Amino acid sequence: MTSSTPSAALPGHPYGGNGAGPDPYAPLSTNGTSPSPTPRATTGKALDEVHATAQRIAANVERVLVGKPDVVRIALVTLLAEGHLLVEDVPGVGKTSLAKALAKSIDCSVSRLQFTPDLLPSDVTGVSIFNRQTTNFEFRPGPVFSNIVVGDEINRASPKTQSALLECMEEHQVTVDGKTYRLESPFMVIATQNPIEMEGTYALPEAQRDRFTARVSIGYPDPNAELAMVDEHAGHDPLATLQPVSDAAQVRTLVEAVRSVHIAPEVRRYAVDLVSATRRLPEIRLGASPRSTLHLVRAARAQAALSGRDFVVPDDMHAVAVPVLAHRLVLTAEAQAARRSPADMIRGLLQRVPVPQGMDPAAQWVSDVRGNRQ
């Protein structure tokens, strides 16, 4: 089943067009009609700013990553949802270019970490150094003390070093020698990793995968996009001339606007039903966590804002469900032997889990397949 509300997209972009309007999931008033819409922080100027800034960032990133608008969309959704992005694919398809292009499009502090087997946790978080003149230890911040942290080939580092990112990704803070240091907002980790079958890689632990809001695979470009890339990029590196089109203060404003996007109780229940269904599949050994429910709701809010709406519809969750949920699932040995894919299982759940319906022209709730009034 699918929602009756079509997906919208940013003007002039594959995911652009203003779909703002009355919330089809707003509760009915006592006389059976939909109440007047309440003004929300995301309407008007704030929502227009989300549109305009997202368009500029998307256009900037697509100068580097040619022919992958859906991947750029998920990256923007993750940024506006205050999350972290994991880019997994084979070498040479543009994983690092995507991360660096998104980081350079925002005029804020950026640091890059090349993960290697000999990298230490202190190389990530920072270390306290003894000062002979003051006879005190002074803390020297590590690369995580930036707004955007680009971690290249994160699964080439040892699990001990990978765990250095756990606290900062979830709590936006770093604890060194018993002292806690807060990280500035916005804070986003964009990590790339090679497939786990490749030599010299360590699979990310489940606790760390769960902290990434979304995972995307870029994939090979189609022949036309690859030809355009050869024509435009063979003579120069577009990253070298890329200029920022936004800044940290503006990103904070956009994040506040996305937080105010309305999500009706029925749509929240739908998010819980989707995530709960992953824990009951016989092919899955470990289902999605409650944290993934929060990430799914935040990502759906960001998707709604990018689509020009100040309310969330089920189609928004459909658009982000696979990137947000698939990487959190641990399959059974039988499912792996049968070459089942977590992404295919999420798509199957989107077809099976009943979708909450909006109101018909008579302003009455439409019953779902179970016969329950929504």
Side-chain angles (χ1 to χ4, degrees), residues 33-351:
T33 60
S34 179
S36 301
T38 351
R40 299 190 186 109
T42 49
T43 56
K45 184 177 178 180
L47 191 58
D48 291 341
E49 187 177 2
V50 173
H51 272 292
T53 306
Q55 280 185 290
R56 293 197 304 270
I57 296 176
N60 219 34
V61 174
E62 288 180 11
R63 290 175 54 195
V64 177
L65 192 70
V66 180
K68 297 293 179 180
D70 289 337
V71 175
V72 177
R73 172 182 61 85
I74 293 299
L76 287 174
V77 164
T78 306
L79 174 66
L80 297 178
E82 303 176 86
H84 310 286
L85 181 66
L86 181 63
V87 188
E88 178 184 286
D89 219 319
V90 296
V93 294
K95 300 188 302 295
T96 307
S97 296
L98 168 65
K100 293 172 70 175
L102 182 60
K104 288 193 70 173
S105 297
I106 304 170
D107 189 13
C108 56
S109 57
V110 179
S111 62
R112 183 178 182 273
L113 266 169
Q114 181 65 54
F115 282 84
T116 56
D118 59 347
L119 197 71
L120 298 176
S122 58
D123 296 328
V124 178
T125 60
V127 65
S128 295
I129 298 178
F130 183 73
N131 189 324
R132 291 175 178 266
Q133 295 179 344
T134 62
T135 66
N136 291 320
F137 282 92
E138 296 179 354
F139 178 66
R140 301 291 176 87
V144 295
F145 286 86
S146 300
N147 295 118
I148 305 291
V149 179
V150 179
D152 202 11
E153 296 187 308
I154 187 175
N155 61 338
R156 290 205 182 277
S158 66
K160 179 180 179 180
T161 302
Q162 292 175 9
S163 65
L165 289 171
L166 293 178
E167 182 184 14
C168 64
M169 290 176 66
E170 179 65 20
E171 303 171 46
H172 290 197
Q173 67 182 31
V174 172
T175 302
V176 178
D177 296 334
K179 189 172 181 179
T180 300
Y181 305 88
R182 295 294 303 176
L183 299 175
E184 292 185 8
S185 177
F187 174 72
M188 181 182 185
V189 175
I190 309 174
T192 70
Q193 74 167 353
N194 296 315
I196 58 174
E197 293 83 4
M198 301 195 71
E199 186 177 353
T201 59
Y202 302 85
L204 292 181
E206 290 80 3
Q208 184 153 1
R209 288 206 311 270
D210 197 47
R211 280 165 166 79
F212 283 100
T213 300
R215 182 187 66 179
V216 293
S217 295
I218 297 177
Y220 292 112
D222 60 62
N224 292 331
E226 192 164 3
L227 180 60
M229 180 188 68
V230 171
D231 292 339
E232 297 173 12
H233 299 179
H236 71 285
D237 181 8
L239 271 172
T241 58
L242 209 62
Q243 297 296 322
V245 294
S246 182
D247 55 29
Q250 188 173 40
V251 170
R252 284 192 291 267
T253 302
L254 301 185
V255 167
E256 287 296 328
V258 169
R259 285 176 182 172
S260 302
V261 171
H262 177 68
I263 179 166
E266 291 78 14
V267 185
R268 291 200 295 268
R269 169 58 62 182
Y270 181 56
V272 173
D273 290 344
L274 274 178
V275 174
S276 301
T278 66
R279 304 165 192 162
R280 298 191 295 269
L281 290 177
E283 301 92 345
I284 293 179
R285 182 162 54 92
L286 179 65
S289 67
R291 182 192 286 123
S292 64
T293 310
L294 296 176
H295 287 181
L296 181 61
V297 169
R298 292 171 185 168
R301 279 191 165 120
Q303 174 66 28
L306 289 179
S307 299
R309 279 178 277 99
D310 61 352
F311 55 88
V312 177
V313 297
D315 280 333
D316 297 319
M317 295 207 175
H318 287 197
V320 300
V322 173
V324 171
L325 298 179
H327 66 285
R328 307 170 193 268
L329 306 182
V330 179
L331 304 185
T332 62
E334 294 78 11
Q336 292 178 2
R339 297 185 180 277
R340 299 295 304 275
S341 162
D344 290 338
M345 293 184 184
I346 296 297
R347 294 186 188 100
L349 289 178
L350 293 176
Q351 297 295 321

